[in-house]
Short mmCIF file of all heavy atoms in Angstrom, two decimals:
data_model
loop_
_atom_site.label_atom_id
_atom_site.label_comp_id
_atom_site.label_asym_id
_atom_site.label_seq_id
_atom_site.Cartn_x
_atom_site.Cartn_y
_atom_site.Cartn_z
N VAL A 322 -10.43 -15.57 -6.83
CA VAL A 322 -10.90 -16.78 -6.15
C VAL A 322 -12.34 -16.61 -5.71
O VAL A 322 -13.16 -17.54 -5.83
CB VAL A 322 -9.98 -17.10 -4.96
CG1 VAL A 322 -10.58 -18.20 -4.10
CG2 VAL A 322 -8.60 -17.53 -5.45
N ARG A 323 -12.68 -15.44 -5.21
CA ARG A 323 -14.07 -15.20 -4.81
C ARG A 323 -15.01 -15.31 -6.00
O ARG A 323 -16.10 -15.89 -5.90
CB ARG A 323 -14.21 -13.83 -4.15
CG ARG A 323 -15.63 -13.52 -3.67
CD ARG A 323 -15.68 -12.26 -2.85
NE ARG A 323 -15.23 -11.10 -3.60
CZ ARG A 323 -15.04 -9.90 -3.04
NH1 ARG A 323 -15.22 -9.72 -1.76
NH2 ARG A 323 -14.63 -8.89 -3.79
N ARG A 324 -14.58 -14.76 -7.13
CA ARG A 324 -15.42 -14.86 -8.32
C ARG A 324 -15.61 -16.32 -8.75
O ARG A 324 -16.71 -16.72 -9.14
CB ARG A 324 -14.77 -14.05 -9.46
CG ARG A 324 -15.44 -14.22 -10.81
CD ARG A 324 -14.73 -13.39 -11.87
NE ARG A 324 -13.30 -13.67 -11.92
CZ ARG A 324 -12.77 -14.71 -12.56
NH1 ARG A 324 -13.57 -15.58 -13.18
NH2 ARG A 324 -11.46 -14.90 -12.57
N ILE A 325 -14.56 -17.13 -8.66
CA ILE A 325 -14.67 -18.53 -9.06
C ILE A 325 -15.59 -19.29 -8.11
O ILE A 325 -16.41 -20.12 -8.55
CB ILE A 325 -13.27 -19.16 -9.10
CG1 ILE A 325 -12.45 -18.52 -10.23
CG2 ILE A 325 -13.34 -20.66 -9.29
CD1 ILE A 325 -10.99 -18.90 -10.20
N PHE A 326 -15.50 -19.03 -6.82
CA PHE A 326 -16.41 -19.68 -5.88
C PHE A 326 -17.86 -19.30 -6.19
O PHE A 326 -18.77 -20.14 -6.12
CB PHE A 326 -16.05 -19.29 -4.45
CG PHE A 326 -15.11 -20.24 -3.76
CD1 PHE A 326 -13.77 -19.94 -3.64
CD2 PHE A 326 -15.58 -21.43 -3.24
CE1 PHE A 326 -12.90 -20.82 -3.02
CE2 PHE A 326 -14.72 -22.32 -2.62
CZ PHE A 326 -13.38 -22.01 -2.51
N GLU A 327 -18.10 -18.03 -6.52
CA GLU A 327 -19.46 -17.61 -6.85
C GLU A 327 -19.96 -18.30 -8.11
O GLU A 327 -21.12 -18.69 -8.20
CB GLU A 327 -19.49 -16.09 -7.02
CG GLU A 327 -19.28 -15.33 -5.71
CD GLU A 327 -19.17 -13.83 -5.94
OE1 GLU A 327 -19.12 -13.42 -7.14
OE2 GLU A 327 -19.14 -13.08 -4.96
N GLN A 328 -19.08 -18.45 -9.10
CA GLN A 328 -19.48 -19.14 -10.33
C GLN A 328 -19.78 -20.61 -10.08
O GLN A 328 -20.58 -21.21 -10.79
CB GLN A 328 -18.38 -19.00 -11.37
CG GLN A 328 -18.19 -17.58 -11.89
CD GLN A 328 -17.00 -17.47 -12.83
OE1 GLN A 328 -16.19 -18.40 -12.95
NE2 GLN A 328 -16.87 -16.32 -13.49
N GLN A 329 -19.15 -21.19 -9.06
CA GLN A 329 -19.38 -22.60 -8.72
C GLN A 329 -20.49 -22.78 -7.69
O GLN A 329 -20.63 -23.87 -7.12
CB GLN A 329 -18.08 -23.21 -8.19
CG GLN A 329 -16.95 -23.25 -9.20
CD GLN A 329 -17.24 -24.21 -10.34
OE1 GLN A 329 -17.90 -25.23 -10.17
NE2 GLN A 329 -16.77 -23.87 -11.54
N GLY A 330 -21.26 -21.74 -7.45
CA GLY A 330 -22.37 -21.85 -6.52
C GLY A 330 -21.97 -21.78 -5.07
O GLY A 330 -22.69 -22.30 -4.20
N ASN A 331 -20.84 -21.14 -4.78
CA ASN A 331 -20.36 -20.99 -3.41
C ASN A 331 -20.27 -22.34 -2.69
O ASN A 331 -20.79 -22.53 -1.59
CB ASN A 331 -21.25 -20.03 -2.61
CG ASN A 331 -21.02 -18.59 -2.99
OD1 ASN A 331 -19.91 -18.21 -3.39
ND2 ASN A 331 -22.05 -17.78 -2.89
N LYS A 332 -19.61 -23.29 -3.33
CA LYS A 332 -19.40 -24.58 -2.69
C LYS A 332 -18.52 -24.42 -1.46
O LYS A 332 -17.81 -23.44 -1.30
CB LYS A 332 -18.73 -25.54 -3.68
CG LYS A 332 -19.60 -25.92 -4.87
CD LYS A 332 -18.85 -26.89 -5.78
CE LYS A 332 -19.72 -27.32 -6.96
NZ LYS A 332 -18.99 -28.26 -7.85
N GLU A 333 -18.57 -25.43 -0.60
CA GLU A 333 -17.78 -25.36 0.62
C GLU A 333 -16.29 -25.46 0.34
O GLU A 333 -15.47 -24.96 1.11
CB GLU A 333 -18.20 -26.47 1.58
CG GLU A 333 -19.59 -26.25 2.16
CD GLU A 333 -19.94 -27.29 3.21
OE1 GLU A 333 -19.04 -28.05 3.59
OE2 GLU A 333 -21.09 -27.34 3.63
N ALA A 334 -15.91 -26.09 -0.73
CA ALA A 334 -14.49 -26.23 -1.07
C ALA A 334 -14.37 -26.54 -2.56
O ALA A 334 -15.31 -27.05 -3.19
CB ALA A 334 -13.82 -27.33 -0.24
N LEU A 335 -13.21 -26.21 -3.09
CA LEU A 335 -12.88 -26.50 -4.48
C LEU A 335 -11.54 -27.21 -4.52
O LEU A 335 -10.60 -26.85 -3.78
CB LEU A 335 -12.81 -25.22 -5.30
CG LEU A 335 -14.11 -24.49 -5.60
CD1 LEU A 335 -13.83 -23.19 -6.36
CD2 LEU A 335 -15.06 -25.37 -6.40
N ARG A 336 -11.45 -28.22 -5.38
CA ARG A 336 -10.17 -28.90 -5.56
C ARG A 336 -9.10 -27.91 -6.00
O ARG A 336 -9.37 -26.98 -6.76
CB ARG A 336 -10.30 -30.02 -6.59
CG ARG A 336 -11.19 -31.17 -6.18
CD ARG A 336 -11.22 -32.22 -7.28
NE ARG A 336 -12.03 -33.36 -6.94
CZ ARG A 336 -13.34 -33.45 -7.16
NH1 ARG A 336 -13.98 -32.44 -7.75
NH2 ARG A 336 -14.01 -34.53 -6.81
N SER A 337 -7.90 -28.11 -5.54
CA SER A 337 -6.81 -27.22 -5.91
C SER A 337 -6.63 -27.17 -7.42
O SER A 337 -6.43 -26.09 -8.00
CB SER A 337 -5.51 -27.67 -5.24
OG SER A 337 -5.62 -27.66 -3.84
N GLN A 338 -6.72 -28.32 -8.07
CA GLN A 338 -6.54 -28.35 -9.52
C GLN A 338 -7.68 -27.65 -10.24
O GLN A 338 -7.46 -26.97 -11.25
CB GLN A 338 -6.42 -29.80 -10.00
CG GLN A 338 -5.17 -30.51 -9.49
CD GLN A 338 -3.91 -29.79 -9.92
OE1 GLN A 338 -3.80 -29.28 -11.03
NE2 GLN A 338 -2.92 -29.76 -9.03
N ASP A 339 -8.90 -27.78 -9.73
CA ASP A 339 -10.04 -27.09 -10.36
C ASP A 339 -9.90 -25.58 -10.19
O ASP A 339 -10.17 -24.81 -11.13
CB ASP A 339 -11.35 -27.57 -9.74
CG ASP A 339 -11.63 -29.03 -10.05
OD1 ASP A 339 -11.00 -29.57 -11.00
OD2 ASP A 339 -12.46 -29.65 -9.36
N LEU A 340 -9.50 -25.13 -9.00
CA LEU A 340 -9.32 -23.71 -8.77
C LEU A 340 -8.19 -23.16 -9.64
O LEU A 340 -8.31 -22.08 -10.24
CB LEU A 340 -9.02 -23.47 -7.29
CG LEU A 340 -8.83 -22.01 -6.85
CD1 LEU A 340 -10.06 -21.19 -7.16
CD2 LEU A 340 -8.49 -21.95 -5.37
N LEU A 341 -7.12 -23.91 -9.75
CA LEU A 341 -6.00 -23.48 -10.57
C LEU A 341 -6.38 -23.40 -12.05
O LEU A 341 -6.03 -22.45 -12.75
CB LEU A 341 -4.84 -24.45 -10.37
CG LEU A 341 -3.48 -24.06 -10.93
CD1 LEU A 341 -2.98 -22.79 -10.25
CD2 LEU A 341 -2.48 -25.19 -10.74
N ALA A 342 -7.15 -24.38 -12.52
CA ALA A 342 -7.57 -24.37 -13.92
C ALA A 342 -8.47 -23.18 -14.22
O ALA A 342 -8.37 -22.56 -15.29
CB ALA A 342 -8.28 -25.68 -14.25
N ALA A 343 -9.35 -22.83 -13.27
CA ALA A 343 -10.23 -21.69 -13.48
C ALA A 343 -9.44 -20.38 -13.51
O ALA A 343 -9.76 -19.47 -14.27
CB ALA A 343 -11.29 -21.65 -12.38
N LEU A 344 -8.41 -20.27 -12.68
CA LEU A 344 -7.58 -19.07 -12.69
C LEU A 344 -6.81 -18.93 -14.01
O LEU A 344 -6.72 -17.85 -14.58
CB LEU A 344 -6.61 -19.10 -11.52
CG LEU A 344 -7.20 -18.92 -10.12
CD1 LEU A 344 -6.16 -19.23 -9.05
CD2 LEU A 344 -7.73 -17.50 -9.94
N LEU A 345 -6.28 -20.03 -14.50
CA LEU A 345 -5.51 -19.99 -15.74
C LEU A 345 -6.39 -19.79 -16.97
O LEU A 345 -5.89 -19.38 -18.03
CB LEU A 345 -4.70 -21.28 -15.89
CG LEU A 345 -3.60 -21.51 -14.84
CD1 LEU A 345 -3.00 -22.90 -15.00
CD2 LEU A 345 -2.52 -20.44 -14.96
N ALA A 346 -7.67 -20.09 -16.84
CA ALA A 346 -8.58 -19.95 -17.99
C ALA A 346 -8.86 -18.50 -18.34
O ALA A 346 -9.31 -18.21 -19.45
CB ALA A 346 -9.88 -20.69 -17.71
N ASP A 347 -8.61 -17.58 -17.40
CA ASP A 347 -8.85 -16.16 -17.65
C ASP A 347 -7.64 -15.57 -18.36
O ASP A 347 -6.60 -15.30 -17.74
CB ASP A 347 -9.11 -15.44 -16.33
CG ASP A 347 -9.52 -13.98 -16.54
OD1 ASP A 347 -9.60 -13.55 -17.71
OD2 ASP A 347 -9.74 -13.27 -15.54
N ALA A 348 -7.75 -15.38 -19.65
CA ALA A 348 -6.61 -14.89 -20.44
C ALA A 348 -6.24 -13.46 -20.11
O ALA A 348 -5.11 -13.02 -20.36
CB ALA A 348 -6.92 -15.03 -21.93
N GLU A 349 -7.18 -12.67 -19.55
CA GLU A 349 -6.91 -11.28 -19.22
C GLU A 349 -6.24 -11.13 -17.86
O GLU A 349 -5.81 -10.03 -17.50
CB GLU A 349 -8.22 -10.48 -19.23
CG GLU A 349 -8.95 -10.48 -20.55
CD GLU A 349 -8.12 -9.82 -21.65
OE1 GLU A 349 -7.37 -8.87 -21.32
OE2 GLU A 349 -8.22 -10.23 -22.81
N SER A 350 -6.14 -12.19 -17.11
CA SER A 350 -5.54 -12.13 -15.78
C SER A 350 -4.03 -12.33 -15.88
O SER A 350 -3.51 -12.77 -16.91
CB SER A 350 -6.15 -13.21 -14.89
OG SER A 350 -5.71 -14.50 -15.31
N PRO A 351 -3.29 -12.02 -14.82
CA PRO A 351 -1.83 -12.22 -14.85
C PRO A 351 -1.41 -13.66 -14.62
O PRO A 351 -0.21 -13.96 -14.70
CB PRO A 351 -1.34 -11.33 -13.70
CG PRO A 351 -2.49 -11.26 -12.75
CD PRO A 351 -3.73 -11.32 -13.59
N TRP A 352 -2.36 -14.57 -14.36
CA TRP A 352 -1.97 -15.92 -13.94
C TRP A 352 -1.40 -16.79 -15.07
O TRP A 352 -0.47 -17.56 -14.80
CB TRP A 352 -3.17 -16.61 -13.29
CG TRP A 352 -3.85 -15.72 -12.30
CD1 TRP A 352 -5.17 -15.35 -12.27
CD2 TRP A 352 -3.25 -15.04 -11.18
NE1 TRP A 352 -5.43 -14.50 -11.24
CE2 TRP A 352 -4.27 -14.29 -10.55
CE3 TRP A 352 -1.96 -14.98 -10.67
CZ2 TRP A 352 -4.02 -13.51 -9.42
CZ3 TRP A 352 -1.71 -14.20 -9.56
CH2 TRP A 352 -2.73 -13.49 -8.94
N PRO A 353 -1.87 -16.70 -16.31
CA PRO A 353 -1.22 -17.52 -17.34
C PRO A 353 0.25 -17.16 -17.57
O PRO A 353 1.04 -18.00 -18.01
CB PRO A 353 -2.06 -17.24 -18.59
CG PRO A 353 -3.40 -16.85 -18.07
CD PRO A 353 -3.11 -16.08 -16.83
N ASP A 354 0.64 -15.91 -17.27
CA ASP A 354 2.01 -15.46 -17.49
C ASP A 354 2.81 -15.39 -16.19
O ASP A 354 3.93 -14.87 -16.18
CB ASP A 354 2.02 -14.08 -18.16
CG ASP A 354 1.33 -14.10 -19.52
OD1 ASP A 354 1.46 -15.12 -20.21
OD2 ASP A 354 0.67 -13.11 -19.86
N TYR A 355 2.24 -15.89 -15.12
CA TYR A 355 2.93 -15.81 -13.83
C TYR A 355 4.11 -16.79 -13.81
O TYR A 355 3.97 -17.97 -14.15
CB TYR A 355 1.96 -16.13 -12.70
CG TYR A 355 2.53 -15.91 -11.32
CD1 TYR A 355 2.49 -14.65 -10.73
CD2 TYR A 355 3.09 -16.96 -10.60
CE1 TYR A 355 3.01 -14.43 -9.47
CE2 TYR A 355 3.60 -16.75 -9.33
CZ TYR A 355 3.55 -15.49 -8.77
OH TYR A 355 4.07 -15.29 -7.52
N GLY A 356 5.27 -16.30 -13.39
CA GLY A 356 6.45 -17.16 -13.37
C GLY A 356 6.90 -17.51 -14.79
O GLY A 356 6.66 -16.78 -15.75
N THR A 357 7.56 -18.66 -14.91
CA THR A 357 8.06 -19.08 -16.22
C THR A 357 7.08 -19.96 -16.97
O THR A 357 7.08 -19.97 -18.21
CB THR A 357 9.38 -19.86 -16.03
OG1 THR A 357 9.15 -20.97 -15.15
CG2 THR A 357 10.45 -18.96 -15.44
N LYS A 358 6.21 -20.67 -16.25
CA LYS A 358 5.26 -21.59 -16.89
C LYS A 358 3.83 -21.34 -16.45
O LYS A 358 2.99 -22.23 -16.51
CB LYS A 358 5.65 -23.04 -16.60
CG LYS A 358 7.02 -23.44 -17.13
CD LYS A 358 7.32 -24.89 -16.84
CE LYS A 358 8.69 -25.29 -17.38
NZ LYS A 358 9.00 -26.72 -17.09
N GLY A 359 3.55 -20.13 -15.98
CA GLY A 359 2.21 -19.85 -15.50
C GLY A 359 2.05 -20.23 -14.04
O GLY A 359 2.94 -20.83 -13.41
#
Side-chain angles (χ1 to χ4, degrees):
V322 170
R323 181 171 60 188
R324 172 180 54 81
I325 293 170
F326 267 101
E327 291 174 353
Q328 292 174 350
Q329 296 293 327
N331 285 330
K332 294 181 178 180
E333 290 185 9
L335 289 176
R336 294 181 179 88
S337 300
Q338 294 301 322
D339 294 343
L340 181 59
L341 191 62
L344 290 169
L345 295 173
D347 186 1
E349 300 297 327
S350 70
W352 314 124
D354 300 324
Y355 187 85
T357 57
K358 298 181 180 179

